[in-house]
Amino acid sequence: MSKKDVAVVMGGYSDEYKVSLKSGQLIYDSLDRDLYNVYKIVILKDEWYFLDEKENKLPINKGDFSVSLNSNETLKFDVCFNIIHGSPGENGILQAYWDAIGQVYTGCEFYQSALTFNKKDTLAVLSKYGIPSAKSIYLRKGENINVDEIIETLGLPVFVKPNQSGSSLGISKVKEASELIAATEIAFKEDDEILIESFLNGMEVSVGVVDFKGETIVLGITEIVPKNEFFDYEAKYEGASEEITPARIDEETTKRVEEIAKRAYNSLGMSGFSRSEFILMDGIPYMLEMNTNPGFSPASILPQQAKIYGISIKDLCGNEVEKALNKKN
């Protein structure tokens, strides 16, 4: 049986591209070389390129996502392993392009990517499936901001966050009415739409869910203990948090979190890696968001959960490639 050509596609257009490069490296290192020829592709705002074994850059032909290795050899990929965090790999843009040119890829499809990248719309859809979330107010850039009305509706403190942005960039916790306008300005730097959410006073947990060998499984529930005020970019990527797996919760709460995390995944028609964030308050999981291309560097939550669950990174990544190949057939 001939080996399949797999491109690990990493990078991205946001500040998360550095994390994506680490995630891509782990997947590149982990895929089974007995089954696959594995290659690296980096997608950045100003260039898309293939990296050969000597780390030389070769341009990607965007017409069919191929690469010319020399004057008479062109490489086309059987599968693209998408591990771009943020735009364009986590918001549906890349998936729509791949669909248009007939390129097979891992993970969820265009619609699920676009939907889950929009926090407001995700929570609205999931509320129909009985999955609770914080009370919130949605604002577009340029709209009038009535501070008194917002605080009367949501109370204090509140969280102000971009509606469509990965990795906790642009999020503020607001404790005083006088801080609210400045917090909205920070969030609007990341996105033209923002959410202001009521504060949920409870434990934050991060739940890895994946469809593995035909079954939706919860890889683990990780308790997040931020050293900062909340699980911001620094806490998520620069070690300013303690991550405890499994979370210190009782069996009944564990089952409830697992059931709701799986229900959210299946209700949205998800595929591939996902990591959902919840706040546990009085034993009830309130959903914050779902990440469809979560961090996958060695220090990231999902690989750690897989290790504890007992699935090797090699098997977890291989499962994604095989699913994509089967979808093609």
Side-chain angles (χ1 to χ4, degrees):
M1 192 180 75
S2 63
K3 291 185 190 180
K4 299 295 185 184
D5 293 320
V6 180
V8 181
V9 183
M10 58 191 98
Y13 298 168
S14 74
D15 290 343
E16 298 172 84
Y17 81 90
K18 293 173 190 159
V19 182
S20 173
L21 295 178
K22 289 180 184 172
S23 299
Q25 186 65 49
L26 177 59
I27 290 164
Y28 176 82
D29 292 341
S30 302
L31 283 167
D32 190 341
R33 295 309 195 270
D34 291 336
L35 299 175
Y36 314 116
N37 299 313
V38 188
Y39 306 96
K40 287 184 195 175
I41 286 182
V42 178
I43 288 182
L44 302 172
K45 253 186 185 156
D46 51 356
E47 59 177 340
W48 293 20
Y49 57 87
F50 171 93
L51 280 175
D52 69 14
E53 287 173 357
K54 294 175 181 171
E55 299 282 297
N56 295 314
K57 293 182 186 180
L58 295 171
I60 295 295
N61 177 353
K62 293 183 184 176
D64 62 358
F65 208 72
S66 65
V67 59
S68 297
L69 299 177
N70 51 50
S71 56
N72 56 10
E73 190 182 0
T74 298
L75 178 58
K76 277 276 289 164
F77 305 102
D78 293 296
V79 178
C80 285
F81 200 120
N82 175 20
I83 196 63
I84 289 178
H85 313 318
S87 185
E90 203 170 3
N91 59 357
I93 292 172
L94 198 54
Q95 289 89 338
Y97 155 72
W98 279 333
D99 286 342
I101 62 166
Q103 173 64 59
V104 174
Y105 55 89
T106 62
C108 62
E109 296 183 5
F110 154 73
Y111 173 73
Q112 284 78 10
S113 301
L115 174 65
T116 50
F117 206 67
N118 186 312
K119 297 181 180 75
K120 172 181 75 79
D121 291 354
T122 303
L123 298 175
V125 169
L126 289 176
S127 70
K128 306 285 188 276
Y129 294 93
I131 295 170
S133 58
K135 277 177 74 175
S136 64
I137 288 170
Y138 167 77
L139 292 170
R140 290 179 187 274
K141 193 176 267 186
E143 282 183 351
N144 181 47
I145 300 172
N146 187 325
V147 173
D148 294 338
E149 199 175 286
I150 290 167
I151 288 164
E152 194 178 320
T153 306
L154 302 178
L156 279 171
V158 292
F159 278 103
V160 181
K161 56 178 74 171
N163 186 41
Q164 299 189 73
S165 167
S167 283
S168 310
L169 294 163
I171 299 184
S172 305
K173 184 178 180 181
V174 172
K175 299 176 184 174
E176 304 286 339
S178 58
E179 300 167 358
L180 187 65
I181 296 295
T184 64
E185 286 166 0
I186 291 166
F188 277 130
K189 282 180 185 166
E190 299 295 329
D191 188 26
D192 289 345
E193 308 167 12
I194 66 169
L195 282 181
I196 303 174
E197 290 182 342
S198 62
F199 175 61
L200 297 170
N201 189 14
M203 176 194 292
E204 179 161 358
V205 293
S206 192
V207 187
V209 181
V210 65
D211 49 332
F212 187 75
K213 297 186 176 173
E215 186 187 352
T216 301
I217 59 168
V218 173
L219 285 174
I221 302 172
T222 297
E223 178 184 345
I224 308 295
V225 186
K227 293 171 189 166
N228 298 349
E229 190 83 42
F230 60 95
F231 196 42
D232 58 7
Y233 184 89
E234 189 188 1
K236 197 173 277 188
Y237 290 128
E238 294 170 9
S241 69
E242 189 183 355
E243 294 157 6
I244 301 162
T245 311
R248 296 169 294 185
I249 52 178
D250 60 50
E251 197 176 328
E252 187 186 342
T253 307
T254 299
K255 281 183 180 162
R256 194 177 298 134
V257 173
E258 286 179 347
E259 190 273 321
I260 279 191
K262 279 200 236 182
R263 196 194 318 162
Y265 187 96
N266 292 331
S267 300
L268 295 176
M270 274 293 300
S271 177
F273 302 156
S274 84
R275 198 190 67 227
S276 296
E277 318 297 335
F278 296 88
I279 298 286
L280 295 180
M281 203 162 69
D282 303 323
I284 306 293
Y286 290 82
M287 187 147 191
L288 299 176
E289 63 177 347
M290 183 187 286
N291 300 285
T292 57
N293 246 353
F296 208 79
S297 70
S300 298
I301 289 171
L302 206 72
Q304 302 287 354
Q305 290 176 339
K307 193 175 175 184
I308 291 168
Y309 189 92
I311 299 176
S312 70
I313 303 301
K314 179 179 168 183
D315 286 347
L316 197 62
C317 295
N319 180 66
E320 291 304 306
V321 172
E322 291 305 314
K323 269 189 318 201
L325 287 168
N326 290 335
K327 200 163 52 176
K328 179 183 181 181
N329 301 329

